[in-house]
Amino acid sequence: MKDAIIFDAVRSPRGKGKKDGSLYELTSVYLSGEILKAIRDRNQLDTNHVEDVIWGNVTQVGEQGGCLARSAVLKAGFAQNTPGLSINRFCASGLEAINLAANQIKGGAGLAYIAGGVEMMSRVPMGSDGAAIAVDPTLAMNTLFVPQGISADLISSLYGFSRDDVDAYAIESQKRAHLAWEENRFSKSIIPIKDQNGVEILCKDENIRPETSMQSLGSLKPSFKEMGETMPGFDNVAMQKYPNLEKIEHVHHAGNSSGIVDGAAAVLIGNQDFGSASNLSPRAKIISTAKVGTDPTIMLTGPIPAAKKALELAKMEISDIDVFEVNEAFASVVLRFNQAYDLDPDKVNINGGAIAMGHPLGATGAMILGTALDELERSNKNTALITLCVASGMGSATIIERI
């Protein structure tokens, strides 16, 4: 099998996912096109050699529907023979796009791919596409479906994470993200975004709140307490699956959960022949990829078995990994991952995460892989594991090795 090599990774800054966010005026296809043009231009890429553009986006309705990937390819002015594939594995869509591309290359199906994703959460609200597991009672009742926030609180209750624990984690995410920006750690990957008139509208993640404190977070009410406890209540549904719990403690709120933002990211992946022919320097290779299904009620513990599977495929141990990127969908997701593997927190989300910077659903997986790659190069480390929890009970993971 051929190696799947990462030659470049770029992303937009994350804009607040509201009408007053800096990216609100842009459509998903416009932002995707800007990111695709950036990765093409800075690598002087002949897009005739790109086998496919695999693009994650979760809410595939309206302006994000209709195979957005192909629309973005055309918007970016790529060669007309470049196809596009839109995929949806919920929060892991951007990483899954990369994994699909990598495995196609390893199997010999093409020389090069661009993979990544987009989500304009200010324009296309999360959940506006509907979801059978949430709205079809014949499915929801049989799977004991609960909303993700209830699942996050369920994790905290089962594994002993208090309100102080999740708030302290959120503050650390804010501090790390602020420091990373102060030290220009994202400068290699960030593409400043301009509007249709060529005016720069965003060059930095705008969701970060470095002033966050235990006092400010302490004033926030739990976001999921009412939906959990109001009869019949989702807490009772979850406890049917976990009857050992007497009560679910509701500890998550907007300050210790991932931010709603807009953003896009792309990764250029190819084999060595493509890199040599295109005069590109390899930055890392993709060692292994993994995806798993998990309990749809607790839903958000997928990173643990996904990481285990990726490590087994790579014939590696957890101790072989230098840098971890675990998507901060909720604070308890990362705390449980660290607990399960007894990890040093200083190896995990070194530059902050989605609690501080936000989680543009279809793009986040590609963004955090790029962050992991930049961190390996900055700190002169070798291996990174990137993983995300996934709605309805799944997980996705990727291991990369710096070249």
Side-chain angles (χ1 to χ4, degrees):
M1 295 180 69
K2 296 181 180 294
D3 285 337
I5 296 170
I6 299 171
F7 294 101
D8 202 8
V10 301
R11 74 169 176 93
S12 73
R14 297 166 170 103
K16 289 189 296 184
K18 300 179 180 179
K19 290 185 178 181
D20 62 349
S22 294
L23 298 180
Y24 173 71
E25 66 185 86
L26 307 181
T27 64
S28 303
V29 70
Y30 180 91
L31 185 60
S32 298
E34 291 299 290
I35 295 301
L36 291 177
K37 285 191 288 186
I39 205 164
R40 176 196 64 194
D41 294 347
R42 75 185 211 165
N43 293 284
Q44 299 181 332
L45 185 63
D46 181 352
T47 56
N48 284 290
H49 298 151
V50 176
E51 185 74 17
D52 204 355
V53 172
I54 305 178
W55 212 237
N57 67 289
V58 174
T59 311
Q60 296 188 13
V61 294
E63 63 191 49
Q64 281 189 177
C67 191
L68 177 64
R70 175 59 175 170
S71 298
V73 164
L74 297 173
K75 182 70 172 175
F78 277 26
Q80 289 188 10
N81 62 301
T82 308
L85 170 66
S86 292
I87 67 161
N88 179 6
R89 199 186 292 279
F90 295 125
C91 299
S93 297
L95 187 65
E96 193 62 37
I98 292 167
N99 291 352
L100 285 169
N103 291 325
Q104 293 269 50
I105 290 166
K106 288 182 178 183
L111 301 177
Y113 287 73
I114 296 174
V118 68
E119 207 77 30
M120 292 297 295
M121 300 179 76
S122 66
R123 298 175 63 92
V124 186
M126 178 172 56
S128 57
D129 55 340
I133 196 167
V135 301
D136 184 336
T138 63
L139 178 60
M141 292 174 66
N142 288 337
T143 58
L144 296 178
F145 166 83
V146 297
Q148 289 187 46
I150 302 295
S151 299
D153 288 336
L154 177 59
I155 292 171
S156 291
S157 301
L158 281 170
Y159 296 102
F161 305 127
S162 67
R163 171 69 181 259
D164 282 352
D165 292 334
V166 291
D167 283 356
Y169 181 86
I171 291 169
E172 186 64 20
S173 178
Q174 296 284 355
K175 288 180 178 177
R176 291 184 182 191
H178 178 66
L179 178 62
W181 270 106
E182 288 291 301
E183 295 186 351
N184 295 315
R185 296 185 189 181
F186 301 125
S187 60
K188 183 180 289 188
S189 299
I190 289 287
I191 303 300
I193 300 301
K194 299 179 181 180
D195 65 13
Q196 295 180 4
N197 298 314
V199 177
E200 185 176 294
I201 58 175
L202 189 63
C203 63
K204 182 177 180 179
D205 295 324
E206 67 177 344
N207 202 57
I208 302 172
R209 300 177 299 279
E211 72 283 357
T212 302
S213 65
M214 291 295 283
Q215 289 74 27
S216 64
L217 293 185
S219 68
L220 299 177
K221 294 181 179 179
S223 296
F224 310 103
K225 182 179 176 67
E226 185 174 351
M227 71 169 64
E229 296 181 354
T230 301
M231 293 303 292
F234 284 109
D235 286 5
N236 289 332
V237 175
M239 287 189 292
Q240 290 182 55
K241 184 74 68 74
Y242 296 92
N244 53 309
L245 268 184
E246 293 184 8
K247 182 177 178 11
I248 293 177
E249 298 293 339
H250 293 284
V251 297
H252 287 91
H253 50 75
N256 56 35
S257 307
S258 55
I260 293 174
V261 295
D262 300 328
V267 178
L268 175 60
I269 310 166
N271 63 24
Q272 187 58 59
D273 292 339
F274 165 77
S276 298
S278 304
N279 295 314
L280 296 174
S281 298
R283 295 178 64 187
K285 62 180 178 179
I286 295 176
I287 302 300
S288 68
T289 70
K291 61 270 188 187
V292 298
T294 61
D295 170 20
T297 303
I298 201 167
M299 192 184 308
L300 306 174
T301 56
I304 297 167
K308 181 176 184 291
K309 185 175 181 180
L311 288 164
E312 289 173 348
L313 290 169
K315 296 181 171 56
M316 298 172 71
E317 302 293 333
I318 197 77
S319 58
D320 295 324
I321 302 298
D322 298 314
V323 169
F324 295 86
E325 282 288 330
V326 183
N327 187 41
E328 294 175 353
F330 300 89
S332 64
V333 173
V334 186
L335 290 174
R336 173 56 189 149
F337 186 87
N338 291 353
Q339 181 188 67
Y341 285 110
D342 192 23
L343 294 178
D344 178 354
D346 289 338
K347 287 185 171 185
V348 183
N349 300 346
I350 295 164
N351 298 302
I355 290 173
M357 293 178 284
H359 176 21
L361 306 177
T364 303
M367 285 187 171
I368 64 175
L369 183 139
T371 298
L373 175 57
D374 287 346
E375 179 58 29
L376 289 179
E377 293 173 344
R378 184 191 74 86
S379 58
N380 196 29
K381 299 291 178 60
N382 294 315
T383 57
L385 188 149
I386 302 96
T387 186
L388 301 93
C389 60
V390 184
S392 75
M394 293 183 282
S396 184
T398 308
I399 295 174
I400 65 172
E401 180 179 59
R402 184 170 66 94
I403 297 176

